Amino acid sequence: MANDEIRNLVIITTVIFLIAPTFIVVYILIYNQRKKRHLLEKQQMQLTFEAELTKTQLEVQEQTMQTIGADLHDNIGQLLSLTSLTLNSIELDNETKARQKINDSIGLTLRSIKEMRLLGHLLQGDQLVALGLPEAIRQEVSWMERSGRYEIVYIPGEELPAAGNPDKDLIIFRIVQEIFNNIIKHAAATQISIALDHFDGHLKLTMTDNGVGFNADSLPGGKAGMGLQNIRKRAAIIGGEAAIISSPGEGSRVTISIPYP
Amino acid sequence: MLNYLTFFTVFEIQCLFFAAACLSKDQEMPWKSMCLFLFVTCASELSGIYLKRQHHANQWPYNILLVFQILFISYMFYGLLKKNSIGKLAVQGGFAILTILYIIDICLHGFFWFNVLTYNSMSVVLVIYSLFYFYLLLKQDEIVHLKYSAGFWWVCGVLFFYFGDTAVNIFRGKLSVIMITPKHALPYYILVVLNIILYSCWTYSFICRKWLTTKSEILSS
């Protein structure tokens, strides 16, 4: 090899040696910048999650208050009005009839007390979730059953982890409430089934009804569509996904799979 | 006096001034010790020039400087890498190896001949420390504001200088014949550039360090 060639080779190698640290330093600066951006995005996501959690909490409370309001008006209010009417209609001269009406009034009062006690349970709102997701859903189911319009089958999973995840529980509970609302408002169903299952670190919630169903592929843009979008959004926010299967006249099935706990 | 002002001494002395101004009250010993190290560097450099002017062998002051370089730069890296157990061990191991090489060099060539083997090995070891520091920086979860990170800029200086210096040392024979000016060959100018980069990075890192300390004091008061 000629002397010039060797000299050129040496110069090129030296230049490479001199430039290499520049690339290393520039790479580290760029990587650090990206890391910073990634962390900011993570913080933003955490903030969004917390905001969604607060919103869910408020919605659960609002739903509870609505149920309580409706129940006070439609149920306990009616019972107490009936009690008042019965007591007013007592004729003291007719002892047998009076005794009968007093007994009826006692019965109505006892029913009112029972209803009030059930309302008390519901008033606990999000505290209900603290008892565990299966228990919270059970309370919601028993409340739905009381209307007498639905035949509900509830299968709570037996293999659910003892230590749950309160944040996820709250969001799942709100999803259940949202699905119940949809069934009440739009489905005209008579049979509902709910199943909770846990396997491979995932919680699976399946809710089916035999209502009128809808075309799941072309959801309406109105409130009903928004409700289903909310279900999907909420499932996604806790790292899960929601599958909604329905067709007109064939009821609907909502399956939610979430990493749990 | 002006005869002693070369590219090398000017940058070394200005870096020493910045070190004295920024680090003399630093709480951490490795940083504080940089003042002493730069003082020894300046003293060795000036002694070297003096001996050269007097037509004496001027390599022994650089052999003394080499001891301080191994000691202080390893100590700084120890301070920067001590949070990581592998880093801590690597610095201790590197220090032991360099010490052994230095003794071997002295035994083989004596004190008045520059310890090339130790110097080249030290350059490689310091480049490895620097790359390991950067690796830890990439790996850690916390965000570091590199723009104001004293450690980062100090290591940058070391990496630039010793990476380039290794190349110059390897190819010195071939590069020395390339005369840029009648007085100096290519390695001289490369070393001037590397010195400028090294002492600029270090000076900036000292300013960052001072800024950080002042800010901490203000925040804690």
Side-chain angles (χ1 to χ4, degrees):
Chain A
M1 209 186 282
N3 255 351
D4 278 354
E5 279 180 45
I6 295 172
R7 200 180 71 170
N8 289 343
L9 196 70
V10 165
I11 291 172
I12 290 165
T13 317
T14 310
V15 169
I16 290 170
F17 261 76
L18 293 173
I19 292 173
T22 316
F23 281 107
I24 295 171
V25 171
V26 169
Y27 173 75
I28 286 162
L29 286 168
I30 292 170
Y31 186 90
N32 198 61
Q33 201 66 29
R34 282 199 186 155
K35 198 161 79 176
K36 215 185 278 181
R37 212 179 306 145
H38 173 73
L39 213 84
L40 282 173
E41 276 169 15
K42 223 166 115 183
Q43 281 171 350
Q44 190 59 46
M45 274 172 72
Q46 181 65 27
L47 282 175
T48 313
F49 176 74
E50 277 164 15
E52 190 61 36
L53 207 66
T54 313
K55 195 179 150 203
T56 307
Q57 223 154 6
L58 286 171
E59 279 179 11
V60 168
Q61 281 168 3
E62 198 182 324
Q63 171 100 22
T64 311
M65 296 313 281
Q66 271 177 12
T67 314
I68 290 165
D71 203 76
L72 279 172
H73 180 264
D74 302 339
N75 204 353
I76 299 166
Q78 299 296 329
L79 281 171
L80 290 175
S81 298
L82 204 61
T83 313
S84 165
L85 275 174
T86 313
L87 288 173
N88 270 331
S89 65
I90 290 174
E91 291 166 16
L92 291 171
D93 302 339
N94 191 339
E95 199 182 318
T96 325
K97 261 191 163 180
R99 188 176 296 279
Q100 178 64 38
K101 284 185 177 177
I102 288 168
N103 283 340
D104 286 350
S105 301
I106 292 169
L108 286 167
T109 314
L110 287 174
R111 268 182 67 189
S112 304
I113 292 167
K114 197 180 160 194
E115 295 291 334
M116 289 290 280
R117 201 169 288 150
L118 281 168
L119 262 187
H121 279 298
L122 206 69
L123 256 172
Q124 290 171 356
D126 52 341
Q127 287 170 27
L128 212 61
V129 183
L131 298 172
L133 186 64
E135 189 51 36
I137 295 176
R138 193 189 302 282
Q139 294 283 345
E140 200 71 13
V141 167
S142 52
W143 195 257
M144 284 282 286
E145 275 177 330
R146 280 182 57 255
S147 67
R149 287 165 58 193
Y150 307 102
E151 194 183 304
I152 305 176
V153 179
Y154 173 45
I155 309 160
E158 285 173 10
E159 289 165 11
L160 251 63
N165 182 323
D167 293 346
K168 285 185 180 176
D169 285 353
L170 183 71
I171 289 176
I172 298 166
F173 181 63
R174 179 62 199 146
I175 291 174
V176 171
Q177 280 189 333
E178 196 115 25
I179 296 169
F180 271 140
N181 278 346
N182 284 342
I183 292 171
I184 293 166
K185 284 180 193 162
H186 312 288
T190 54
Q191 288 175 345
I192 303 169
S193 85
I194 309 166
L196 269 180
D197 209 357
H198 187 264
F199 61 91
D200 285 347
H202 278 71
L203 180 82
K204 193 177 167 192
L205 168 79
T206 314
M207 283 181 82
T208 52
D209 69 73
N210 65 342
V212 292
F214 57 93
N215 193 346
D217 297 328
S218 55
L219 289 172
K223 269 191 172 177
M226 284 292 284
L228 292 172
Q229 274 176 26
N230 263 342
I231 291 169
R232 284 205 177 97
K233 195 182 95 184
R234 291 218 158 101
I237 222 160
I238 46 176
E241 50 187 36
I244 300 161
I245 302 164
S246 181
S247 53
E250 287 183 13
S252 60
R253 170 193 287 262
V254 181
T255 311
I256 288 151
S257 176
I258 289 154
Y260 195 86
Chain B
M1 181 64 192
L2 280 174
N3 289 341
Y4 288 90
L5 292 180
T6 63
F7 274 116
F8 300 103
T9 52
V10 166
F11 279 97
E12 280 162 1
I13 291 167
Q14 70 87 21
C15 195
L16 171 65
F17 277 126
F18 273 96
C22 301
L23 305 176
S24 53
K25 288 176 186 167
D26 201 282
Q27 299 294 312
E28 285 186 33
M29 267 315 280
W31 284 100
K32 208 173 181 174
S33 67
M34 284 309 290
C35 299
L36 179 62
F37 170 63
L38 284 164
F39 175 76
V40 175
T41 307
C42 291
S44 307
E45 197 71 58
L46 293 171
S47 313
I49 295 170
Y50 172 78
L51 290 170
K52 199 178 175 185
R53 301 262 152 90
Q54 300 297 315
H55 304 289
H56 293 301
N58 72 340
Q59 296 189 334
W60 62 266
Y62 295 101
N63 271 345
I64 295 173
L65 177 62
L66 193 56
V67 176
F68 282 93
Q69 278 179 324
I70 294 170
L71 206 68
F72 283 94
I73 299 182
S74 296
Y75 186 41
M76 257 307 278
F77 270 111
Y78 185 81
L80 292 170
L81 301 173
K82 67 181 174 192
K83 282 179 194 162
N84 182 283
S85 54
I86 300 170
K88 208 169 154 178
L89 268 175
V91 176
Q92 287 168 344
F95 181 74
I97 291 168
L98 294 175
T99 310
I100 293 165
L101 285 174
Y102 189 87
I103 295 166
I104 292 171
D105 247 347
I106 292 286
C107 292
L108 288 176
H109 310 292
F111 187 65
F112 294 96
W113 193 261
F114 185 60
N115 294 343
V116 180
L117 175 68
T118 313
Y119 186 77
N120 287 347
S121 309
M122 185 190 73
S123 299
V124 174
V125 167
L126 295 184
V127 167
I128 293 169
Y129 289 165
S130 307
L131 294 177
F132 190 71
Y133 174 83
F134 287 152
Y135 166 72
L136 292 181
L137 209 62
L138 293 178
K139 223 180 74 173
Q140 73 179 34
D141 291 329
E142 305 92 68
I143 292 179
V144 180
H145 293 281
L146 294 181
K147 210 171 156 185
Y148 309 112
S149 165
F152 172 76
W153 289 108
W154 189 87
V155 175
C156 271
V158 172
L159 182 73
F160 272 103
F161 183 82
Y162 288 100
F163 212 90
D165 198 33
T166 306
V168 173
N169 288 334
I170 293 169
F171 304 121
R172 190 175 284 275
K174 292 284 172 196
L175 293 172
S176 297
V177 293
I178 306 168
M179 298 303 290
I180 304 293
T181 57
K183 215 174 166 187
H184 297 293
L186 184 60
Y188 172 83
Y189 292 99
I190 293 176
L191 283 176
V192 167
V193 174
L194 291 177
N195 264 280
I196 293 172
I197 296 172
L198 172 74
Y199 291 114
S200 305
C201 284
W202 279 15
T203 304
Y204 182 65
S205 84
F206 299 157
I207 295 167
C208 287
R209 186 76 198 162
K210 173 73 177 173
W211 179 78
L212 182 83
T213 324
T214 319
K215 198 184 169 197
S216 306
E217 276 168 12
I218 291 167
L219 287 173
S220 61
S221 64

